[in-house]
Amino acid sequence: MSLPLPHGIGRPATGALTLRGWTTLEQLTEVTERELLALHGVGPKAVRVLRETMAEHGLSFAPDRR
């Protein structure tokens, strides 16, 4: 089952993610928070909402690759 992006992240963040082809929470497990925050339209609130929603489903962002 694919879990869609939550509405609570806002239109700019949703647009930035879908432009990259990321339309489900499962896809975001391959992305770091740092990568998301680098996108125009994705801010700390959107990342927090995504993190919390992913955690509810046992998912998490990729570890920082620094």
Side-chain angles (χ1 to χ4, degrees):
M1 176 172 122
S2 322
L3 299 165
L5 299 175
H7 296 288
I9 64 172
R11 185 174 289 161
T14 301
L17 296 175
T18 56
L19 261 173
R20 291 287 187 126
W22 299 323
T23 58
T24 68
L25 293 178
E26 290 88 352
Q27 291 171 313
L28 297 181
T29 63
E30 301 295 322
V31 182
T32 67
E33 288 187 29
R34 180 186 309 270
E35 290 171 314
L36 291 178
L37 288 168
L39 298 175
H40 180 75
V42 179
K45 178 185 174 194
V47 171
R48 178 182 50 77
V49 171
L50 288 167
R51 184 186 324 110
E52 291 171 358
T53 305
M54 290 171 73
E56 290 172 9
H57 297 282
L59 303 172
S60 61
F61 292 116
D64 198 357
R65 302 186 250 282
R66 270 213 232 184

